[in-house]
Amino acid sequence: MVLISDNWDVFMVRSFRAAVFAVVVLTAATARAGSPGLAEKVYGARVEAGVTEFEARYGRLSGKADDGETGLILEAEHGFSKRFSASVFAEFEREPGNSLKLEEVAVEGVYTLGRIPGIGVDVAVYGELGVPVRGDPVVAELKALFQKTTGPVDLRLNLIAARSFVRGPVAFGYAASADVAIIGDDIRLGGAIFGDLGDTDRFGGRQQTFAGPIAKFEIEHLPGNSDLEIETGYLFALGAARDDARGQFRLLIDWETRF
């Protein structure tokens, strides 16, 4: 990403402050139900113009009362410019002992703000509007996305808040990952963590957290000018998450192409 001008620096900082303010002030009620990280990913802060992606994200809890609880997200995304991408997705869930059911359809967008001078951190904002299919309130979610690449190391941090259209406290969460290229960019190893941060009624304390190792694989130059990316791993339950589960298996498959 090209270094931004002084005027753009000022605009970026003001935009970022506005985004953080929106996350803090405009979000309320509860975040997406379920365990942190289930069928979710750690978003990067960069957008590729002209790239279309089809992604399947799967997660399954193991152990204790929530053993077998499953999440699945099917998503289609397109990069409309080097700063903006938008997508639509469907989220499915399965409670232990039940069948997989459609829970929500949603649209989301990512807008890049630029790179913070001096420290080389890319910043973006994420917005999502989800419509549950079973009569629950519409949910809006905002994220502040950060990404830094240093040689073979890629670091990502997402700060998350959500709002259903009912009254309630502001709820917060986070997701982060760190991985390093082992063989070019074709194989990357690292770790990821997803967690709750509480809300304005009770911030911090013992919250749900899942953390563990991940591996990423990329197969390039497939037919149709496409690439295939696969991420898998196992996250261990920590904190309050240990009450009902021992961990969660995750698998992400992403096919991207240029039409």
Side-chain angles (χ1 to χ4, degrees):
M1 187 179 294
V2 179
L3 290 177
I4 46 185
S5 66
D6 292 340
N7 289 337
W8 179 250
D9 290 349
V10 174
F11 173 75
M12 186 197 73
V13 171
R14 289 177 178 175
S15 298
F16 175 63
R17 288 175 178 172
V20 173
F21 179 80
V23 168
V24 173
V25 176
L26 298 180
T27 58
T30 58
R32 174 177 283 132
S35 302
L38 192 64
E40 291 293 337
K41 69 177 182 179
V42 185
Y43 282 80
R46 301 165 190 158
V47 171
E48 291 188 71
V51 173
T52 300
E53 300 182 40
F54 299 95
E55 187 173 64
R57 307 200 298 265
Y58 173 86
R60 180 183 174 93
L61 296 180
S62 63
K64 300 186 178 180
D66 287 342
D67 183 57
E69 182 178 330
T70 300
L72 173 66
I73 292 178
L74 302 177
E75 181 173 358
E77 178 181 7
H78 182 72
F80 290 93
S81 72
K82 65 179 181 180
R83 294 199 177 278
F84 177 72
S85 70
S87 65
V88 295
F89 70 82
E91 181 179 5
F92 301 82
E93 294 181 1
R94 184 178 80 86
E95 297 293 334
N98 295 324
S99 59
L100 195 67
K101 297 178 181 179
L102 176 64
E103 292 292 331
E104 180 185 74
V105 293
V107 294
E108 68 179 32
V110 174
Y111 183 79
T112 65
L113 298 176
R115 178 170 293 176
I116 300 175
I119 61 174
V121 174
D122 295 304
V123 182
V125 290
Y126 165 107
E128 174 192 318
L129 187 66
V131 181
V133 299
R134 306 186 190 284
D136 294 328
V138 173
V139 176
E141 186 169 285
L142 293 174
K143 300 180 182 180
L145 312 178
F146 306 89
Q147 182 177 5
K148 179 177 176 61
T149 302
T150 304
V153 178
D154 182 75
L155 306 173
R156 302 183 183 190
L157 171 65
N158 300 172
L159 301 178
I160 308 165
R163 175 189 185 184
S164 64
F165 287 82
V166 295
R167 295 185 178 182
V170 178
F172 304 98
Y174 67 93
S177 68
D179 56 71
V180 59
I182 303 300
I183 302 177
D185 279 331
D186 296 336
I187 300 178
R188 307 184 66 90
L189 301 178
I193 183 170
F194 298 83
D196 295 332
L197 290 173
D199 54 39
T200 48
D201 287 344
R202 182 191 173 194
F203 188 82
R206 188 172 182 267
Q207 302 289 341
Q208 289 195 90
T209 303
F210 287 87
I214 58 171
K216 299 180 179 180
F217 308 91
E218 184 173 8
I219 305 173
E220 300 179 302
H221 311 303
L222 294 175
N225 191 27
S226 64
D227 301 324
L228 183 67
E229 298 179 359
I230 300 172
E231 177 185 328
T232 187
Y234 186 84
L235 308 182
F236 296 93
L238 304 172
R242 296 183 62 186
D243 295 343
D244 298 310
R246 291 191 176 92
Q248 62 173 267
F249 169 77
R250 55 192 284 104
L251 176 65
L252 288 67
I253 300 175
D254 181 25
W255 181 70
E256 61 181 45
T257 187
R258 295 177 182 270
F259 292 106

